[in-house]
Amino acid sequence: MTATDATAERLPLRERKKLRTRQALIDTALRLFTERGFDGTTLDELCDAVEVSKRTFFRTFPSKEDVAMAPTQDLWAAFLEELEGREPAGGTVLALLQASLYAALDRMTDEGWADRVRLSLRLTAATPSMDARGRHFCDRTLRTAVALLHRKLDLQDPRDLRPRLALDLLLAGFQCALETWVAQPGDPGRAALVAEVRTAFAAIPDALTFEATPPSA
Amino acid sequence: MTATDATAERLPLRERKKLRTRQALIDTALRLFTERGFDGTTLDELCDAVEVSKRTFFRTFPSKEDVAMAPTQDLWAAFLEELEGREPAGGTVLALLQASLYAALDRMTDEGWADRVRLSLRLTAATPSMDARGRHFCDRTLRTAVALLHRKLDLQDPRDLRPRLALDLLLAGFQCALETWVAQPGDPGRAALVAEVRTAFAAIPDALTFEATPPSA
DNA sequence: AGGGTTGTGCCACTCGGTAACACAAGTGAT
DNA sequence: ATCACTTGTGTTACCGAGTGGCACAACCCT
């Protein structure tokens, strides 16, 4: 319907159908989960609403949690693609990573993307099992990216922790940005998110030198 | 049997029994999960082995995953206590956090602790649902610590990201240390883990300034 | 010893997730 | 158009995690 249409214009009919039910599942899931809560919605109800069998659901998504986290997962997939496409040429690794993330954000041109991400994040914050799953996914992406960096930078020592730590910083900053963005009133769009990301990234260097002065002093 | 004995010397009989079955569940779970795999072991089998009803299991642990992650959770609880007990007095926040973690590690004096953690981590690495749950727990600890820091440092701006980022760095470094430690041959003890932590923490400043030089140059 | 409290075992149940198999729908040929 | 072939879907039956309710036993206090 909304997101994948541009890229799926001329696919075989079968594939288009699959994408349509996939998108319907995502949208309906976000709606139902938001209305009745994640645990308050059974998979059967969701499948009834979309008129799909439970079997089909699990062919499309690996778990109940994943259907509501598709929007953010798209972003991370784009991030990995961007990182893959970039060549290291001067500047810090952290800057390279940040540039990839900005580019990935720029690619999320879909109309409802920001709203879906917002719904998804609110659900994640309210649902432990979704939170857990989300962090697991994040970590898998991080590991893929670490391996990619090691390859791209041609690092001799596989135990060199610097790429890993840089990625952790990127992730931490982005998480912060997402949290403040999703807490904003109204429906701030993608641009507002990018602004938050810039703020968060700007705070990174200070985090190391941040002095622990006692409050009385 | 092993860990909580020192502190539980003279508790009411009922509490001691509870702790004993708890410890038995942890040890048996680590053994069974390691032998047959996490998914290859049903809760019924575990409960039969410990001679406890499934109902009792869920009164002791909130999920099947948690029983195998108790050792690390003990460490994080100790970390929070240490952080709570320390007063900020000069030095960076990051150093304060690192000191708390070292102190928490020093408190894990239990004989089998290192071995249990190793088993637990290997299981976690091999079991997605355990990994997810573990990261969720880590994040909850992080949030508690962030709130604690904001209170202790008497920060005016609740959106100040520096404590959060510093904690993320601490966590990232510790995760790195755990991974390399658990991959070491033999059964390195707690001291070896502390050494790995020092190495990882030493790499943190470099992560920011790490240059992305192309491999050809 | 006896009454109150608290943990435990058993039973039945819901729901997420999977396997097997039959069937319908899309695809590509003649 | 129609035929075989491939591929996605629905149905049924099932397993295992996790929960609620209730009776019962074990501990604790006096």
Side-chain angles (χ1 to χ4, degrees), chain B residues 45-63:
Chain B
E45 288 169 343
L46 171 58
C47 291
D48 279 354
V50 189
E51 289 182 306
V52 170
S53 82
K54 206 169 61 167
R55 198 75 188 76
T56 297
F57 177 91
F58 282 108
R59 280 195 207 94
T60 315
F61 297 100
S63 81

Side-chain angles (χ1 to χ4, degrees), chain A residues 2-4 19 21-30 33 38 57 60-79 108 110 112-121 123-124 130 133-134 137 141 174:
Chain A
T2 53
T4 41
L19 281 180
T21 60
R22 180 190 153 87
Q23 198 57 45
L25 279 172
I26 293 173
D27 290 328
T28 315
L30 286 176
F33 292 171
F38 181 82
F57 176 90
T60 316
F61 298 100
S63 80
K64 185 187 178 186
E65 284 79 20
D66 285 82
V67 66
M69 308 199 304
T72 28
Q73 300 196 355
D74 290 346
L75 175 66
W76 288 117
F79 167 75
M108 299 293 118
D110 204 50
W113 184 78
D115 302 292
R116 266 181 297 225
V117 169
R118 201 178 3 261
L119 285 180
S120 174
L121 288 177
L123 283 168
T124 303
M130 277 186 66
R133 183 105 190 148
F137 177 81
T141 308
F174 186 61

Side-chain angles (χ1 to χ4, degrees), chain A residues 88 90-93 131-132 135-136 139 143 152 154 162 164-165 168 172 175-176 179 206-208 210-212 214-215, chain B residues 88 90-93 131-132 135-136 139 143 152 154 162 164-165 168 172 175-176 179 206 208 210-212 214-215:
Chain A
T92 66
V93 170
D131 186 71
R135 298 193 182 280
H136 175 66
D139 190 68
R143 280 164 201 279
K152 260 197 170 5
D154 200 21
R162 293 172 300 172
R164 158 78 186 256
L165 290 171
D168 261 305
Q175 294 282 348
C176 290
E179 283 171 31
D206 297 339
L208 270 116
F210 186 21
E211 289 284 330
Chain B
T92 66
V93 169
D131 186 71
R135 299 193 182 281
H136 175 66
D139 190 69
R143 280 164 202 277
K152 260 196 168 7
D154 200 22
R162 293 173 299 172
R164 158 80 187 254
L165 290 171
D168 262 305
Q175 294 281 349
C176 290
E179 281 169 33
D206 296 338
L208 269 116
F210 187 21
E211 289 284 330

Side-chain angles (χ1 to χ4, degrees), chain B residues 190-212:
Chain B
R190 213 182 61 221
L193 173 57
V194 173
E196 289 297 334
V197 174
R198 291 198 191 282
T199 307
F201 284 170
I204 288 182
D206 296 338
L208 269 116
T209 56
F210 187 21
E211 289 284 330

